């Protein structure tokens, strides 16, 4: 059984120190990929862009700077946990987004209720075994019919 958690959050896309604008961002978590969260950014005039990265990175990044690759998440102000910065980078190009921490925490809480943190591996193995079993059953039915 595949289940998901979705939320829409308004984030600020920080173009420069002087320019930013609010955009809707869809957050999605699926049991079929229990280690990842997906953020789909709806930028004006462009096709939506989806980034997938570790759920644990987003969880940890709400409270402290995390990530050393293409995705970095950190509190906007280390002394206050009210806002979160999400930096996405491809080569030299990067995009910076600011979000309230509360909607991210609410979304992450819902993902934890669906798949508790640390239980992802058991779910991933179950899904893989289920797909293998269904493929065998379908193959047997097709060869018998």
């Amino acid at each position: 059984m595949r289940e998901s958690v979705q939320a829409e959050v308004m984030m600020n896309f920080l173009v420069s120190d002087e320019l930013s604008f609010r955009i809707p961002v869809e957050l999605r978590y699926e049991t079929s990929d229990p280690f990842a969260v997906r953020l789909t950014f709806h930028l004006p005039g462009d096709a939506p862009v989806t980034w997938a990265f570790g759920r644990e990175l987003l969880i940890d990044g709400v409270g402290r700077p995390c990530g050393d690759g293409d995705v970095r998440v950190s509190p906007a102000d280390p002394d206050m946990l009210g806002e979160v910065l999400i930096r996405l980078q491809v080569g030299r190009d990067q995009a910076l987004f600011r979000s309230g921490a509360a909607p991210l925490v609410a979304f992450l809480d819902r993902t934890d209720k669906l798949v508790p943190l640390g239980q992802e591996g058991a779910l991933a193995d179950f899904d893989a075994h289920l797909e293998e079993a269904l493929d065998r059953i379908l193959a047997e039915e097709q060869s018998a019919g």
Side-chain angles (χ1 to χ4, degrees):
M1 172 172 44
R2 294 187 177 172
E3 297 180 59
S4 65
V5 172
Q6 291 178 230
E8 186 172 294
V9 174
M10 293 302 290
M11 291 188 186
N12 288 318
F13 176 35
L14 306 173
V15 178
S16 69
D17 290 341
E18 299 83 28
L19 178 62
S20 69
F21 51 93
R22 293 177 57 78
I23 62 166
V25 179
E26 179 187 334
L27 289 79
R28 186 170 183 82
Y29 177 79
E30 298 178 348
T31 58
S32 61
D33 189 5
F35 291 100
V37 292
R38 285 174 172 67
L39 279 65
T40 300
F41 299 90
H42 298 275
L43 300 169
D46 286 332
V49 175
T50 300
W51 278 70
F53 54 90
R55 173 172 69 152
E56 196 166 348
L57 174 64
L58 188 57
I59 291 169
D60 292 345
V62 169
R64 63 181 175 81
C66 291
D68 56 3
D70 295 341
V71 179
R72 297 178 188 206
V73 182
S74 65
D77 180 348
D79 297 326
M80 295 175 49
L81 300 180
E83 293 187 314
V84 176
L85 295 175
I86 300 172
R87 182 181 314 273
L88 307 173
Q89 188 165 345
V90 176
R92 294 184 187 267
D93 295 329
Q94 66 178 350
L96 182 61
F97 300 89
R98 182 188 302 255
S99 173
L104 296 178
V105 169
F107 169 75
L108 291 166
D109 184 56
R110 290 174 53 214
T111 71
D112 191 62
K113 288 178 178 154
L114 185 60
V115 179
L117 192 61
Q119 300 298 312
E120 301 93 344
L123 183 64
D125 291 342
F126 173 77
D127 280 349
H129 294 305
L130 179 60
E131 282 188 44
E132 289 172 12
L134 289 173
D135 287 343
R136 278 196 309 272
I137 291 169
L138 288 173
E140 289 173 6
E141 287 180 356
Q142 287 176 352
S143 65

